[in-house]
């Protein structure tokens, strides 16, 4: 039977997560800032659809990317050199979340429900959640958002959440630019959550959940992470 929680203190040990569906740990709780931060520090994240209770996950294995392992394809390198997109950080967080929440198909739903947007916007206001934006400029000097991504930064770990693209390579350029920034800022690990071929092409690889959680303990000072303002975040503008 799936455990039901009320607060972050009720999270079960991640080793108790289900094998199928992979990583489903518990349900319930809330999306308060302290709950979400506490979850990330323990290798847990929320993921659910409209009409469902809040579901918390910790899959095994965990897909991660170390900035030093980043691989950029020749075609993407060419695109980066063309400067087709203007990349910014933390200038349109809610726009990025809404764009990521848009259904990817006519009959598709989304797990980025309004409550999630509100919760992560509060984290953004505390300096814990961040966005990367890709823009294009028209002849009249107007900027149009065509790609981007968002995630959570705690300690020396960036937890990637979702990305979107309205033009070819827009999200890839945003991601590659973010990776260079994280490398400069001393981040050691990017959590990609679940394994995909797209992330693997950048150099991401799966590791065992227990190894991932052990690394989180080394890279995040939990006591600081739970302070107002997300003071363990190493993110710098």
């Amino acid at each position: 039977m799936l455990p039901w929680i009320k607060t972050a203190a009720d999270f079960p040990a991640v080793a108790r997560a289900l094998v199928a569906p992979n990583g489903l740990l518990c349900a319930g709780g809330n999306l308060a800032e302290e709950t979400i931060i506490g979850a990330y520090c323990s290798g847990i994240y929320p993921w659910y659809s409209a009409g469902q209770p809040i579901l918390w996950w910790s899959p095994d294995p965990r897909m991660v990317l170390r900035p030093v392992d980043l691989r950029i394809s020749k075609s993407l390198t060419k695109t980066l050199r063309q400067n087709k997109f203007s990349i910014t950080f933390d200038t349109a967080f809610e726009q990025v979340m809404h764009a990521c929440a848009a259904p990817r198909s006519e009959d598709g739903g989304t797990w980025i429900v309004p409550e999630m947007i509100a919760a992560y916007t509060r984290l953004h206001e505390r300096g814990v959640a961040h966005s990367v934006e890709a823009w294009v400029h028209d002849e009249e000097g107007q900027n149009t958002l065509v790609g981007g991504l968002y995630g959570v930064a705690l300690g020396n770990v960036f937890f990637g959440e979702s990305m979107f693209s309205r033009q070819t390579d827009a999200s890839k350029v945003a991601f590659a630019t973010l990776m260079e920034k994280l490398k400069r800022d001393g981040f050691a690990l990017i959590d990609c959550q679940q394994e995909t071929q797209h992330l693997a092409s950048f150099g991401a690889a799966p590791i065992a959940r227990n190894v991932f959680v052990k690394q989180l303990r080394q890279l995040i000072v939990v006591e600081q992470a739970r302070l107002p303002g997300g003071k363990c975040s190493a993110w710098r503008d």
Side-chain angles (χ1 to χ4, degrees):
M1 185 174 180
L2 192 67
W4 190 273
I5 68 168
K6 293 183 178 180
T7 69
D10 300 329
F11 280 124
V14 295
R16 293 180 57 188
L18 299 180
V19 174
N22 182 14
L24 181 56
L25 179 65
C26 58
N30 56 63
L31 294 177
E33 296 98 305
E34 310 305 338
T35 304
I36 298 176
I37 291 173
Y40 278 110
C41 289
S42 300
I44 304 165
Y45 59 86
W47 185 34
Y48 67 104
S49 300
Q52 294 180 329
I54 301 172
L55 301 176
W56 301 90
W57 301 75
S58 184
D60 188 18
R62 193 71 163 238
M63 193 72 163
V64 301
L65 174 59
R66 295 173 178 81
V68 294
D69 295 330
L70 177 66
R71 294 199 302 262
I72 303 295
S73 67
K74 291 183 179 179
S75 61
L76 182 56
T77 297
K78 182 178 179 180
T79 300
L80 288 165
R81 289 172 178 168
Q82 292 172 344
N83 293 319
K84 295 171 59 176
F85 308 104
S86 175
I87 305 299
T88 58
F89 297 92
D90 286 339
T91 64
F93 184 85
E94 285 191 71
Q95 281 182 259
V96 169
M97 280 208 72
H98 280 286
C100 289
R104 307 299 167 96
S105 62
E106 291 185 2
D107 58 349
T110 179
W111 60 271
I112 308 176
V113 296
E115 293 79 11
M116 290 279 276
I117 294 176
Y120 281 79
T121 298
R122 291 192 296 270
L123 288 173
H124 173 65
E125 292 168 351
R126 285 181 55 168
V128 176
H130 302 277
S131 61
V132 186
E133 302 89 19
W135 309 84
V136 293
H137 310 291
D138 61 25
E139 294 179 354
E140 298 178 353
Q142 298 295 316
N143 296 333
T144 301
L145 183 66
V146 294
L149 60 96
Y150 76 96
V152 170
L154 294 170
N156 291 320
V157 182
F158 186 86
F159 300 85
E161 279 299 319
S162 185
M163 62 176 61
F164 79 98
S165 189
R166 294 171 179 161
Q167 282 195 15
T168 302
D169 286 341
S171 63
K172 291 182 179 179
V173 170
F175 183 74
T177 306
L178 170 65
M179 291 299 296
E180 289 301 319
K181 172 180 173 55
L182 295 177
K183 186 176 180 179
R184 292 194 309 269
D185 287 355
F187 279 73
L189 194 68
I190 289 80
D191 174 30
C192 303
Q193 297 182 351
Q194 298 182 354
E195 186 172 1
T196 68
Q197 186 175 1
H198 173 68
L199 293 168
S201 70
F202 279 100
I207 63 173
R209 180 175 54 212
N210 64 327
V211 174
F212 174 72
V213 172
K214 182 179 180 180
Q215 291 182 6
L216 291 185
R217 295 194 189 108
Q218 297 170 343
L219 296 170
I220 300 176
V221 180
V222 177
E223 290 76 10
Q224 291 181 348
R226 290 173 175 163
L227 290 174
K231 295 183 180 180
C232 78
S233 177
W235 183 276
R236 296 192 295 274
D237 295 330

